[in-house]
Amino acid sequence: VEDTFWRKLYPFLYIHIPCSLPFSTYFCRGYGSKKIENFVLSSLDAWYNLSKLNYQPSVPLCLLDGNFPCISYIDGEAVLGGGCFRLNGNNENTSYHRIFVCHFEIKSTLYFEITVKALKPYDSHKIFLSALDPYGMPYKMEFGIQGDNNMFFNNCDDYSCIIPDSKIYNLTLENGWLLHKLKCEMVGIIVEVAIETEEPLLIGHLFINDGSNL
């Protein structure tokens, strides 16, 4: 209900978006029924500490009405902290989930990491980075996995989708969480991060940085 309310107001609001690098969030809301540190359960005691509150997702695009909560917060599943958020999918059609509207200026090299956990085996999902080139022209980068942990980096047939010439992309798996890591040469601005998935998917961590900040 809250997401539906803010989505209706969204076109009329001045939105403050994250723009400083490095950027990192575990999506924790500053509380939990238990505590997890680096994928490992560290405490079974409930806790509450708002100083641990992380950045939360932007107002979602996928809400059509109050009957389909396309994202929700999960208490007790996390990479770090007390919880994470879940992309619910609709089990019939692939849903495009906007995670963040942002303004991250990349001057040399993009470092991008996102940690996800599929709730069904052989889940396919695609990650989108929407960007502006130095001339203000929009384009997208797409990558992810397609069944049985087969990674792919989409072929692009026009300027709306770009594969960087120089890139390093790999996947690692830990405690059921899948870490996507992308490093590529880039000059431009990241303006949106999104995921397309049909099945439920947990998002536990997001990290973005530019090579000039290392």
Side-chain angles (χ1 to χ4, degrees), residues 105-135:
E105 184 175 0
I106 309 298
K107 299 178 180 179
S108 60
T109 306
L110 170 66
Y111 292 86
F112 178 86
E113 298 179 9
I114 189 166
T115 307
V116 304
K117 186 175 185 178
L119 298 183
K120 291 188 177 181
Y122 310 120
D123 170 63
S124 298
H125 55 270
K126 187 183 298 184
I127 300 159
F128 294 89
L129 298 181
S130 297
L132 301 175
D133 73 6
Y135 303 100

Side-chain angles (χ1 to χ4, degrees), residues 26-119:
Y26 292 91
F27 303 102
C28 179
R29 290 187 173 180
Y31 65 84
S33 59
K34 52 189 175 182
K35 183 175 285 187
I36 298 169
E37 296 182 9
N38 296 323
F39 305 99
V40 179
L41 179 66
S42 63
S43 174
L44 287 171
D45 297 329
W47 63 279
Y48 181 87
N49 185 347
L50 284 183
S51 69
K52 303 297 183 181
L53 176 68
N54 286 181
Y55 265 103
Q56 298 300 304
S58 298
V59 175
L61 285 173
C62 52
L63 293 176
L64 299 178
D65 54 52
N67 297 322
F68 176 51
C70 60
I71 69 170
S72 56
Y73 187 75
I74 301 296
D75 182 23
E77 283 269 17
V79 173
L80 180 70
C84 64
F85 84 98
R86 165 177 164 154
L87 309 179
N88 290 320
N90 62 12
N91 300 317
E92 295 179 359
N93 299 307
T94 299
S95 298
Y96 182 91
H97 301 270
R98 178 176 65 192
I99 300 175
F100 275 113
V101 177
C102 53
H103 191 278
F104 296 129
E105 184 175 0
I106 309 298
K107 299 178 180 179
S108 60
T109 306
L110 170 66
Y111 292 86
F112 178 86
E113 298 179 9
I114 189 166
T115 307
V116 304
K117 186 175 185 178
L119 298 183

Side-chain angles (χ1 to χ4, degrees), residues 118-197:
L119 298 183
K120 291 188 177 181
Y122 310 120
D123 170 63
S124 298
H125 55 270
K126 187 183 298 184
I127 300 159
F128 294 89
L129 298 181
S130 297
L132 301 175
D133 73 6
Y135 303 100
M137 293 294 293
Y139 67 94
K140 288 184 178 181
M141 289 182 281
E142 306 176 10
F143 55 97
I145 64 170
Q146 187 171 19
D148 207 14
N149 289 342
N150 292 320
M151 66 179 181
F152 64 88
F153 211 111
N154 276 6
N155 293 320
C156 302
D157 54 9
D158 59 44
Y159 188 72
S160 65
C161 174
I162 285 182
I163 300 177
D165 292 330
S166 177
K167 67 178 183 296
I168 299 174
Y169 175 54
N170 58 58
L171 298 168
T172 55
L173 187 66
E174 186 167 351
N175 286 9
W177 290 91
L178 183 66
L179 171 60
H180 297 264
K181 296 182 71 172
L182 170 67
K183 174 186 175 183
C184 64
E185 295 178 3
M186 176 187 169
V187 177
I189 299 172
I190 302 293
V191 296
E192 184 176 280
V193 180
I195 288 184
E196 193 174 80
T197 182

